[in-house]
Structure formats: structure tokens, C-alpha cells
Amino acid sequence: MMATSHFERFLLDATVPDETHWPLGPDCLYGLYTSWCRLHNITPVEDITFRSAMRRCGVDLRNSHRRMTGQAATDYILASYPATA
């Protein structure tokens, strides 16, 4: 049995397959990944390394067919759209 990479764990924890909505683009997917890493005390890899890892996991970054979910999604959305006073 092969060990699950933290990239595969990220995909399982923070995304779900979805053919019907706008897919997560590469920048949003990376932002979600950095939020997920922060929540799990993992140092995120650089964007270019992340993109290579996603390709190895079978994710087409131009059309990921995935949407965000879970705690990392909430963290990412709140960090992306801070409250204005």
C-alpha cells in the first residue's frame, strides 16, 4: 500500500469533484492549498512545485473539475475577502 502524499490528502480534505460549477483555477487552488497547510501546520511548497504535484495527482489546473469544501475553504474565503469597516 502506497502512502498518501500531503497533496492527495489536501485534495481529499479540501476539495470535492464537481462537473457542474466553475472549476477552481490554479491560483484559487493554490490559495486553498496554503489555507489547508496553515490549518494543518504544514509548510506549503512554492506555487510551481504545487502545480507539478497537482499534475501528478491527475488534476488539470486549467479545468480542475473540483470545488472547495470544508474548513480550509472557509479559511481561504475569509482571508480572500476581509471584512471592511
Side-chain angles (χ1 to χ4, degrees), residues 52-67:
S52 293
M54 289 297 98
R55 284 191 291 276
R56 284 193 306 276
C57 289
V59 175
D60 177 352
L61 292 171
R62 286 166 282 135
N63 192 9
S64 69
H65 295 292
R66 305 193 78 74
R67 67 179 165 88

Side-chain angles (χ1 to χ4, degrees), residues 15 22-26 28-29 32 61 63-68:
T15 72
W22 290 100
L24 287 171
C28 288
L29 199 57
L32 180 63
L61 292 171
N63 192 9
S64 69
H65 295 292
R66 305 193 78 74
R67 67 179 165 88
M68 60 179 81

Side-chain angles (χ1 to χ4, degrees), residues 4-15 33 36 39-42 54 57:
T4 302
S5 75
H6 88 266
F7 300 108
E8 292 167 316
R9 200 168 124 226
F10 155 71
L11 289 170
L12 289 171
D13 288 352
T15 72
Y33 165 73
W36 179 84
L39 292 170
H40 290 88
N41 293 321
I42 296 170
M54 289 297 98
C57 289

